[in-house]
Amino acid sequence: MTPSRSAARHARRRALALAAAAAVLALAGCSGASGVGPATTPPSPSATAAGCVADPARTIAAKPGAKTMSALPAETVAKLDAAAAKAFALGASPGAVVGVRTPEGTWTKAYGSADRAGTPMQVGMHTRIASLTKMYTATIVLQLAQEGKLKLDDTIAKYVDGIPNGDAITLTQLADMTSGVASYTMNDALLQKYFADPTAVYTPEEVIEAGAAVSPLFPPGKGFAYSNTNTVLLGTVIEKVTGEDVGRLMQTRIFDPLHLGNTSWPGTSAALPEPYARGYTLNGNTATPDAPTDSTDWNPSWSFTAGEIISDIDDLLTMGRALGTGQGLVDPATQTLRLTSFSEIGYGFGLSCSQGWVGHTGDLSGYNTSLFYDTATDTTVAVQTNSDIASGGCTTSPTLTDDPGDAICQTPAVRLLVALTGELGTAYVPPPRK
């Protein structure tokens, strides 16, 4: 049944409340209101660190397999391809690109189309990777702490004025989403302004102010609320500490050292590098369940260090392993801190964890991305889709009229992630939506 105009509008607005990012709770498959409230129990990193990453030292010391860059065995590829094709058919995305890298080899493949004209999706196409950006931003914060240029227990008030409880909120609490600072996507006035013109350019100061206006959600350290404002604040801290543009720092501290030649920081530009897939969404004022909006040219500046980065599948596979092992990014002591930072909810220092898989999922209107690294088997799985539309038995997320999904509500990149990891031995289990 097609929802009424007002109901559809309400559903789209609730969905956009988590747009520009994939909340750890949204990893269950759908964006919705459930991801913006505090957890009922304060996170306790020591309680779950050992259960999620069984052996941090072993993970950090893992050396790439000799066959990592060769083709995966045909039998393995056949199983992965079948699982991906089935999951893709149940997802509400025109196209997808998937990648798997193990010590035994690498496999990548594209499915579906890159646009409404039916241009085939291709391996190597660029997409916006949304909240995966949070992992890159948090990595630079860890690098600066490692270099003694800031302390993780510094309060945000040391760097930014006007944040409620700012004199008690630490940089760590911003990175692990326990600060109590609300996401600016919870500010209805900002949402209305954004919907009115999604091509407009926003400054970090504008979105921080919007988040602060609806804060605090709870005292620092006394709950969990996934918040884009937290990571935008971290980006502001990075620029103040270094005196450099954060986009340049992404390039010099992450993209260049890891040779991520197809990863970029768009800044205030809405352009994507060629080749790219066009993105489709039910967010906004004009989309309907019968006619999703082409949001390719919506300006990403409002997501800043919470969600701006653009990448392709090969670069994601490289970055996923680096984030899991720390290799090429931070020293072993700093990576140990990161791999033991996960709370009971499964979120840590700009990184989530489930069943030993560490990584992130991202939603930015029109695009959905998943990137996870298995700390037990040295395996990376990456998924890009050119739609952020959920499918299946969704109650809070808008779906297409001809929804292709099954009973499980999931966004397309998460559905593919679950399917692929299931074929690799230990299936990734999205956190429960509470």
Side-chain angles (χ1 to χ4, degrees):
M1 179 181 296
T2 302
S4 68
R5 181 179 179 85
S6 61
R9 178 74 56 84
H10 176 72
R12 290 195 296 274
R13 184 159 295 177
R14 296 295 281 177
L16 190 61
L18 290 184
V24 63
L25 298 182
L27 294 178
C30 306
S31 296
S34 61
V36 298
T40 54
T41 304
S44 174
S46 62
T48 57
C52 195
V53 179
D55 190 345
R58 179 174 176 271
T59 297
I60 293 166
K63 298 188 183 303
K67 297 185 290 184
T68 292
M69 302 305 292
S70 61
L72 274 174
E75 183 179 356
T76 302
V77 168
K79 292 179 180 180
L80 291 171
D81 187 22
K86 180 180 179 180
F88 175 68
L90 293 173
S93 180
V97 182
V98 302
V100 173
R101 180 165 292 161
T102 80
E104 297 303 311
T106 297
W107 170 71
T108 58
K109 186 172 180 177
Y111 300 84
S113 58
D115 55 33
R116 285 177 176 152
T119 303
M121 196 76 155
Q122 297 177 10
V123 171
M125 281 187 163
H126 297 86
T127 61
R128 305 189 191 280
I129 65 170
S131 271
L132 272 62
T133 302
K134 290 178 171 66
M135 298 189 291
Y136 299 61
T137 301
T139 295
I140 295 179
V141 173
L142 289 173
Q143 290 174 343
L144 294 174
Q146 182 179 301
E147 296 162 13
K149 295 178 180 177
L150 56 74
K151 295 180 180 179
L152 299 181
D153 60 0
D154 284 345
T155 65
I156 189 58
K158 181 176 179 180
Y159 304 98
V160 180
D161 295 328
I163 305 302
N165 294 327
D167 58 350
I169 294 169
T170 67
L171 302 187
T172 292
Q173 289 169 338
L174 292 173
D176 67 15
M177 305 295 174
T178 62
S179 70
V181 176
S183 182
Y184 52 82
T185 52
M186 295 176 67
N187 187 314
D188 193 60
L190 180 66
L191 288 185
Q192 291 184 39
K193 180 180 178 181
Y194 179 73
F195 280 134
D197 182 10
T199 66
V201 173
Y202 287 82
T203 66
E205 291 75 19
E206 285 180 280
V207 296
I208 289 171
E209 183 179 354
V214 290
S215 299
L217 299 177
F218 49 79
K222 300 299 182 181
F224 175 92
Y226 186 88
S227 169
N228 292 327
T229 313
N230 283 342
T231 319
V232 171
L233 283 166
L234 290 177
T236 301
V237 170
I238 289 169
E239 291 194 329
K240 291 193 174 184
V241 168
T242 63
E244 294 187 57
D245 175 79
V246 74
R248 175 176 170 75
L249 291 170
M250 291 280 186
Q251 190 71 46
T252 59
R253 286 179 170 269
I254 297 178
F255 305 165
D256 287 346
L258 295 181
H259 306 291
L260 306 181
N262 290 311
T263 303
S264 58
W265 173 262
T268 58
S269 171
L272 285 90
E274 295 278 359
Y276 63 87
R278 300 198 70 83
Y280 301 94
T281 188
L282 288 179
N283 289 333
N285 289 337
T286 61
T288 70
D290 293 311
T293 292
D294 183 335
S295 54
T296 310
D297 300 321
W298 288 12
N299 196 290
S301 60
W302 92 317
S303 60
F304 191 51
T305 47
E308 278 207 40
I309 291 176
I310 297 165
S311 194
D312 77 347
I313 203 71
D314 287 330
D315 279 6
L316 289 174
L317 289 172
T318 298
M319 185 63 179
R321 187 179 192 280
L323 285 163
T325 63
Q327 294 170 18
L329 294 175
V330 295
D331 64 24
T334 302
Q335 185 66 5
T336 299
L337 181 154
R338 192 170 206 176
L339 293 182
T340 57
S341 67
F342 302 107
S343 70
E344 293 174 352
I345 285 175
Y347 204 87
F349 204 96
L351 201 68
S352 69
C353 185
S354 175
Q355 306 297 113
W357 291 93
V358 296
H360 222 288
T361 288
D363 297 327
L364 188 67
S365 294
Y367 299 95
N368 183 214
T369 314
S370 292
L371 177 62
F372 278 82
Y373 173 81
D374 185 8
T375 54
T377 64
D378 194 20
T379 296
T380 308
V381 176
V383 181
Q384 300 167 275
T385 63
N386 57 334
S387 161
D388 63 327
I389 302 169
S391 65
C394 304
T395 57
T396 60
S397 297
T399 58
L400 299 177
T401 302
D402 56 348
D403 178 20
D406 55 15
I408 301 173
C409 177
Q410 291 179 327
T411 49
V414 171
R415 191 179 294 279
L416 281 158
L417 172 69
V418 171
L420 290 169
T421 57
E423 291 298 327
L424 291 166
T426 302
Y428 170 83
V429 179
R433 287 169 55 79
K434 295 182 180 179

